[in-house]
Amino acid sequence: MNNSDVKTFIGKGKGFKDDIVLKVTIVNGLPSRVQLVSSHESPEVGEKVLPTLLNTTNTTHQFEVDGISGASHTSDGFNAALKDVSNQVNGVQKTTTTTVQDGTYTVAVDSFVENQGLPGKGKATMKVTFKDNQIQDITVPEYTDTPVIGGMAFELLKEKIIQHQSTAVDAITSATVSSKAYLSGIGTAIEQAGGDAVAFANRELPAHEPQHQELHTDIIAIGAGLAGFSAAIEAAQDGAKVMLLEAGLTYSSSTTRAQGFIMGANTDEQRRRGIKDSADHFYKDLMTVYGDEPNIEPKLLRKLADESADYMRFLENQGLKWDKVVNIAPKEPRLTKRAHTIKGMGTTLINTLVKATKDKGVDLRLGTKVDRLIIEDGVVKGVEATTVAGDKLTIHASAVVIGTGSYTMNRDMVKKMNPRMTNIDVIVGNGDGSSMRFFNQAGAKIVDVPYLQFMYYFYGVSWGSRFPEAIPESPTLPNYDVLSVDGGGERLASEDDFTFEFTKRCWYNGYDEGYAVYGQTVADKYPIMTDIGLTTKTAHDKPFGYREMTVDALANDVGIKPEKLQATIDRYNELCDQHDDKDFGKNPQHMVKITAPYYILRMPQICTDAYTGAKINENAEVLDHNDQPIPGLYAAGSCADSGVMGIDYYGDGMSLLNCGVFGRAAAKDAVKKLTKSQVINS
């Protein structure tokens, strides 16, 4: 073989998040060796299947491989990169011209949805209008995507697509699933109109020449979640010049996806509804829940309790209206109605704050990723950032407030920092771990909490769009009619208590999974729950549920000692007969005797956020290793909540209260120091 017969080509194809780039060695017109140059696929799906795709094409030496189920976007992008090389080898020019028929075409696409704050497969209906051989309009009249994530992504994509008459646009990184669905729908509409979707995808967008800007402001808030918005609004209304930077092009923080509960005591809304409460009572309840956890700082909990009412008033002043005030569990210390709910949940909250931020003159910049802090002589004096267009920004400021969330989107960090969490089925939360990079750069003291914010309850990503009538140990859609046990077969808490009571005890007993046990009576009452349990598998490829005629067989299915599970069921049935739960005080109406056939459902680790982060004081100042404030650096929210959060989470609304109280505290202290500095300098 002559060396002239061997040539190397670079091929690109759109994957799930970005281009998949391949280096392909061609021998006699076919791929001899294929190497991955770069990819940015999802760690848990796309990146895992790329080695298989590479191995297949290096074995078959063909320009196409079979797609892998569950990773269609990555498979399509890989094949598109191979096709790109094939076209180069064969001298095929990319087609950019096509003809489409005038009219409006309606398509349905698989998209994104959230149930009880957890991700699933949703639907979207799109209408694409063509006129004079161009895309004239794109609307999405019906969709399940989050309005301020998917909805914003749709509008951003629409603007670019119509402007350039091209579908070669990048997916919005903070709304990748929604973006892919949108682009897929447009491609289908083009084909329906008699056109070539590939021709639209081949039209390259004009290149942008990156610029560098040097900017000045008083205070920078990083992260457009509740912590960042609260800090920015407070600082602006206190007279400071404020810049709020968000890496995503949509408001994709954990706040957006929150259930829309915010805890508060002695609030105006409670009084309007005749609910008696006080900050002292709230603090006492918080200490009852958190007091025995080693990372908790009572003075920070005290601040949350004392300032919760004022924070609620702050939100009302921004235009927020409450829907209801509820208790999040029927037992003490969570019995008092403190969870202030919002109609429209996190979406309504974010929309309200966006408007308030703009009204107060905050310089709100989406698509601006902070790369590093500017630190001079130990003092934080601004940030260096990069926009999605590639522009470099050097922004000088007197203070920086970090509100970028935790690290639950960064799977490598999750595994490294939580080695005991080996049975995670679902992780939500939007923090990418950038806060830890900033804290390490500044020499901050990190409080290591050896677990994520999680619960053991019946839920799995394998469910798709199906959802049960009720979910054992769920915080928002609980099923109280089951018996909950740990891996040793022990009953740990009342099933109608808040789920974290069970979670805490199961975790400290050393188990990575809990179980819901019930009999035929409950199975008949909840047929969807039971069917999902018997027909789906966990993320670790284990059956979610089992049905057996004996307790011994049921226990063996999940590795519990049969005699222990039998003893627990016998005791539970005895209490059911007495209509009196002497062990844990469960409401008798939910005490349902367990008789054959028997059922058991796995309750894996469902994770919603993380606790490890910077240590802060009452002013939200980030502390160094000597517990001294790092000048100019503040943090609020999930990146700095280790002093007020623990495994026995108080309830929905505490995380948002934490974001708000300490976001405002950071702004108040920063403005106060800014004012003093201005007086001294003048």
Side-chain angles (χ1 to χ4, degrees):
M1 181 175 63
N2 193 303
N3 285 337
S4 62
D5 296 328
V6 180
K7 294 183 180 179
T8 301
F9 298 84
I10 298 294
K12 297 180 181 180
K14 286 285 185 185
F16 180 61
K17 291 189 174 182
D18 205 341
D19 281 337
I20 295 173
V21 182
L22 302 178
K23 180 180 179 182
V24 183
T25 301
I26 300 296
V27 176
N28 296 327
L30 292 173
S32 172
R33 186 184 182 206
V34 180
Q35 298 170 273
L36 180 65
V37 176
S38 65
S39 62
H40 298 88
E41 301 300 277
S42 56
E44 295 300 305
V45 181
E47 293 296 336
K48 283 188 174 181
V49 305
L50 280 170
T52 301
L53 296 170
L54 285 166
N55 182 63
T56 300
T57 192
N58 279 320
T59 301
T60 63
H61 304 295
Q62 298 299 311
F63 281 113
E64 185 175 3
V65 298
D66 290 337
I68 296 178
S69 176
S72 58
H73 291 306
T74 301
S75 301
D76 291 346
F78 188 88
N79 277 324
L82 290 176
K83 180 67 173 177
D84 182 20
V85 172
S86 174
N87 288 340
Q88 293 177 54
V89 170
N90 295 300
V92 177
Q93 298 296 315
K94 288 184 177 181
T95 301
T96 59
T97 59
T98 187
T99 301
V100 290
Q101 300 299 313
D102 288 357
T104 298
Y105 299 82
T106 301
V107 296
V109 295
D110 292 330
S111 195
F112 185 79
V113 72
E114 290 187 8
N115 257 322
Q116 304 296 314
L118 298 169
K121 294 179 180 178
K123 298 286 185 182
T125 299
M126 300 177 60
K127 292 181 180 292
V128 184
T129 300
F130 301 96
K131 185 174 176 57
D132 298 331
N133 210 36
Q134 291 193 327
I135 300 174
Q136 185 184 59
D137 193 22
I138 309 164
T139 61
V140 191
E142 296 179 6
Y143 62 87
T144 58
D145 306 66
T146 310
V148 294
I149 302 177
M152 284 185 69
F154 298 156
E155 290 302 313
L156 291 167
L157 292 168
K158 171 182 175 179
E159 182 181 349
K160 281 190 176 181
I161 290 167
I162 292 178
Q163 178 186 355
H164 300 291
Q165 290 299 305
S166 167
T167 55
V169 298
D170 291 332
I172 306 301
T173 55
S174 48
T176 309
V177 175
S178 301
S179 300
K180 288 292 182 182
Y182 190 83
L183 293 170
S184 170
I186 295 172
T188 300
I190 292 169
E191 299 289 344
Q192 287 183 1
D196 180 6
V198 175
F200 275 86
N202 284 340
R203 297 172 183 174
E204 295 185 2
L205 273 60
H208 171 74
E209 187 68 32
Q211 306 291 318
H212 177 264
Q213 288 182 281
E214 194 141 354
L215 306 170
H216 294 265
T217 191
D218 292 331
I219 295 170
I220 296 169
I222 310 174
L226 189 56
F229 275 116
S230 297
I233 292 170
E234 179 65 43
Q237 68 186 23
D238 291 348
K241 184 180 179 183
V242 185
M243 194 175 286
L244 176 56
L245 310 178
E246 165 59 41
L249 284 167
T250 65
Y251 300 112
S252 56
S253 70
S254 297
T255 302
T256 303
R257 295 186 164 103
Q259 290 295 297
F261 293 6
I262 305 178
M263 285 288 174
N266 194 32
T267 68
D268 296 338
E269 187 67 13
Q270 282 179 313
R271 281 191 287 274
R272 285 190 285 265
R273 296 172 182 266
I275 301 168
K276 293 183 179 180
D277 197 8
S278 69
D280 287 341
H281 185 195
F282 189 19
Y283 175 69
K284 180 182 177 182
D285 286 347
L286 290 175
M287 286 300 293
T288 299
V289 171
Y290 291 125
D292 62 346
E293 300 193 32
N295 53 292
I296 295 299
E297 295 192 54
K299 62 182 180 181
L300 299 183
L301 282 180
R302 182 81 242 188
K303 185 179 181 72
L304 282 182
D306 288 346
E307 297 190 11
S308 63
D310 189 54
Y311 184 61
M312 296 300 189
R313 198 171 299 117
F314 169 84
L315 290 175
E316 290 174 7
N317 290 339
Q318 312 314 318
L320 193 67
K321 297 185 183 301
W322 308 112
D323 182 33
K324 290 181 282 188
V325 182
V326 301
N327 56 323
I328 42 84
K331 297 180 182 297
E332 295 286 5
R334 299 176 174 93
L335 184 59
T336 303
K337 293 181 178 180
R338 294 192 179 110
H340 294 58
T341 72
I342 306 162
K343 192 173 289 185
M345 302 187 295
T347 294
T348 298
L349 177 57
I350 286 295
N351 282 334
T352 300
L353 296 177
V354 169
K355 182 179 184 304
T357 300
K358 292 178 178 178
D359 289 345
K360 288 175 173 57
V362 172
D363 186 353
L364 174 56
R365 299 187 177 219
L366 300 180
T368 304
K369 181 178 180 292
V370 175
D371 301 314
R372 62 186 299 275
L373 302 173
I374 298 172
I375 304 175
E376 299 176 5
D377 298 325
V379 179
V380 175
K381 293 190 174 182
V383 303
E384 293 179 0
T386 305
T387 70
V388 290
D391 295 330
K392 297 292 183 180
L393 307 178
T394 300
I395 311 172
H396 303 278
S398 296
V400 175
V401 183
I402 299 174
T404 54
S406 63
Y407 56 87
T408 50
M409 279 186 64
N410 189 323
R411 298 301 188 260
D412 290 337
M413 289 184 70
V414 168
K415 291 177 181 178
K416 180 180 179 180
M417 297 169 69
N418 304 275
R420 264 195 64 191
M421 301 205 70
T422 57
N423 192 33
I424 296 172
D425 204 297
V426 177
I427 300 182
V428 294
N430 201 49
D432 62 359
S434 59
S435 60
M436 298 297 289
R437 179 160 43 85
F438 303 141
F439 296 145
N440 289 331
Q441 183 193 349
K445 185 173 187 176
I446 303 298
V447 180
D448 182 16
V449 181
Y451 46 76
L452 300 173
Q453 182 185 105
F454 80 101
M455 298 147 279
Y456 297 103
Y457 73 91
F458 177 55
Y459 186 83
V461 293
S462 61
W463 293 5
S465 59
R466 298 180 71 195
F467 223 70
E469 306 91 341
I471 299 175
E473 294 299 336
S474 163
T476 52
L477 190 66
N479 187 332
Y480 296 150
D481 294 341
V482 302
L483 162 68
S484 296
V485 300
D486 68 7
E490 290 274 4
R491 186 181 181 215
L492 306 176
S494 173
E495 290 77 12
D496 62 359
D497 207 340
F498 201 45
T499 179
F500 288 93
E501 295 297 326
F502 174 82
T503 293
K504 178 179 181 178
R505 292 162 178 78
C506 189
W507 171 262
Y508 282 122
N509 284 352
Y511 298 106
D512 67 358
E513 190 168 68
Y515 306 94
V517 182
Y518 57 97
Q520 191 61 46
T521 302
V522 172
D524 291 340
K525 185 176 179 181
Y526 303 101
I528 300 175
M529 177 190 78
T530 300
D531 184 63
I532 289 174
L534 297 179
T535 59
T536 63
K537 291 188 176 183
T538 71
H540 298 271
D541 203 35
K542 297 177 181 178
F544 247 118
Y546 303 86
R547 177 185 184 274
E548 302 286 2
M549 293 306 297
T550 68
V551 172
D552 280 14
L554 200 72
N556 288 327
D557 286 334
V558 295
I560 296 176
K561 291 182 179 180
E563 63 273 16
K564 184 59 189 175
L565 184 59
Q566 184 69 66
T568 299
I569 291 175
D570 289 346
R571 172 59 177 169
Y572 186 75
N573 282 342
E574 177 186 340
L575 297 172
C576 289
D577 288 338
Q578 297 173 6
H579 302 289
D580 184 9
D581 184 8
K582 296 182 176 68
D583 293 348
F584 295 104
K586 184 175 178 177
N587 189 321
Q589 74 181 57
H590 296 297
M591 297 289 290
V592 183
K593 194 170 182 177
I594 300 172
T595 56
Y598 303 101
Y599 298 83
I600 193 166
L601 303 177
R602 296 183 188 274
M603 297 192 293
Q605 295 164 341
I606 308 299
C607 305
T608 55
D609 220 323
Y611 293 136
T612 294
K615 185 174 183 178
I616 61 172
N617 61 18
E618 291 111 315
N619 294 324
E621 294 175 286
V622 176
L623 306 181
D624 65 16
H625 292 280
N626 296 315
D627 288 334
Q628 296 301 307
I630 298 173
L633 186 61
Y634 300 82
S638 298
C639 63
D641 63 2
S642 57
V644 294
M645 300 290 174
I647 193 168
D648 192 4
Y649 184 57
Y650 183 78
D652 294 339
M654 280 302 298
S655 288
L656 292 186
L657 176 64
N658 173 54
C659 289
V661 167
F662 286 103
R664 288 184 75 203
K668 289 177 181 178
D669 193 69
V671 172
K672 183 173 65 177
K673 288 183 170 64
L674 174 67
T675 304
K676 286 182 179 179
S677 174
Q678 289 172 339
V679 170
I680 292 171
N681 290 335
S682 63

